[in-house]
């Protein structure tokens, strides 16, 4: 049976051991030379402080796709992430409106379009296939699965206010328009989806 002071010492010892295990390898096994002990101690002390604050962390970096900050368990989006969602949602809503109106007049009875949670599904019916157009927040891209051209990934160009394909530079709205009109004809204007 342990006395109360003994239990505190035991817990304190375990906590110190956990702090050393959580420290980077270079600080755990760093050689102690004259004058170097204080910098190793200071570095280890900083690591102990950061490991005790489990909920306070920030994930960021130059060129990272998703910059997310979390403070005490509350997730917040970065400005870039909010702009992506705004632009992507605007494009998907405008696309839905334009294609739905066109489809009712030109694509026949089997045509169906749905838009749920950032995914637009265009079912063409009569064996012509289905388009799935969705936003990929981690990559900040719009992904398109086309029955004609296959899978494509588009990035946003704010100068042109349009989504473009990196490999050949074509624009999402132009490719989709060409493919849909090639199958059914009619008049479909997809210009300015992000105006």
């Amino acid at each position: 049976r342990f006395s109360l002071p003994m239990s505190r010492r035991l817990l304190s010892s375990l906590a110190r051991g956990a702090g050393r295990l959580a420290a980077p390898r270079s600080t755990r096994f760093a050689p102690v030379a004259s004058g170097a002990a204080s910098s190793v101690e200071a570095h280890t002390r900083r690591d102990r402080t950061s490991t005790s604050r489990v909920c306070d962390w920030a994930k960021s970096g130059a060129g990272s796709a998703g910059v997310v900050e979390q403070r005490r368990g509350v997730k917040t989006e970065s400005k870039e992430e909010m702009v992506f969602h705004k632009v992507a949602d605007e494009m998907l809503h405008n696309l839905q409106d334009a294609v739905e109106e066109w489809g009712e007049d030109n694509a026949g009875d089997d045509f169906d379009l749905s838009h749920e949670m950032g995914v637009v599904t265009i079912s063409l019916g009569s064996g012509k296939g289905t388009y799935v157009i969705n936003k990929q927040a981690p990559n900040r891209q719009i992904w398109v699965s086309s029955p004609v051209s296959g899978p494509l990934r588009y990035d946003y160009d704010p100068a042109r206010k349009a989504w473009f394909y990196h490999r050949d530079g074509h624009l999402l709205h132009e490719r989709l328009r060409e493919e849909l009109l090639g199958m059914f004809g009619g008049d479909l204007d997809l210009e300015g989806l992000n105006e």
Side-chain angles (χ1 to χ4, degrees):
R1 184 171 160 141
F2 294 110
S3 67
L4 189 57
M6 178 81 151
S7 297
R8 285 185 184 152
R9 270 186 261 142
L10 180 61
L11 289 174
S12 176
S13 173
L14 289 173
R16 278 193 307 274
R20 270 178 274 165
L21 290 176
R25 185 179 195 123
S26 62
T27 60
R28 285 187 299 193
F29 301 108
V32 178
S34 62
S38 60
S39 68
V40 171
E41 262 179 33
H43 189 69
T44 305
R45 204 174 305 121
R46 263 189 311 230
D47 286 338
R48 276 194 214 128
T49 303
S50 66
T51 56
S52 67
R53 297 173 57 195
V54 176
C55 291
D56 289 351
W57 58 271
K59 176 186 170 192
S60 64
S64 67
V67 178
V68 177
E69 290 185 15
Q70 187 162 337
R71 300 276 183 235
R72 290 178 177 57
V74 178
K75 184 176 177 181
T76 59
E77 292 179 323
S78 69
K79 182 179 178 182
E80 293 84 14
E81 193 77 14
M82 289 188 296
V83 168
F84 164 77
H85 283 293
K86 179 184 178 287
V87 171
D89 288 338
E90 176 186 44
M91 188 279 295
L92 291 172
H93 286 292
N94 291 339
L95 178 71
Q96 175 189 3
D97 292 343
V99 173
E100 198 164 39
E101 184 180 324
W102 167 84
E104 290 172 357
D105 297 335
N106 298 290
D109 295 332
D110 293 337
F111 174 82
D112 185 42
L113 188 142
S114 67
H115 180 194
E116 296 179 27
M117 297 175 51
V119 180
V120 173
T121 305
I122 305 169
S123 299
L124 302 173
S126 19
K128 300 217 186 235
T130 301
Y131 284 88
V132 179
I133 304 166
N134 63 304
K135 61 182 182 177
Q136 289 292 319
N139 303 347
R140 294 196 186 116
Q141 293 178 325
I142 295 291
W143 288 9
V144 176
S145 175
S146 163
V148 177
S149 55
L152 301 166
R153 298 176 182 187
Y154 294 91
D155 293 290
Y156 185 67
D157 179 4
R160 294 189 286 179
K161 294 186 177 182
W163 295 87
F164 70 97
Y165 186 58
H166 259 294
R167 291 191 181 174
D168 63 8
H170 77 264
L171 300 177
L172 182 150
H173 69 276
E174 291 174 353
R175 172 67 59 93
L176 185 60
R177 181 180 181 280
E178 289 170 12
E179 290 181 7
L180 290 174
L181 293 182
M183 285 187 266
F184 295 105
D187 186 31
L188 175 60
D189 182 16
L190 295 180
E191 290 288 330
L193 292 176
N194 278 106
E195 294 294 320

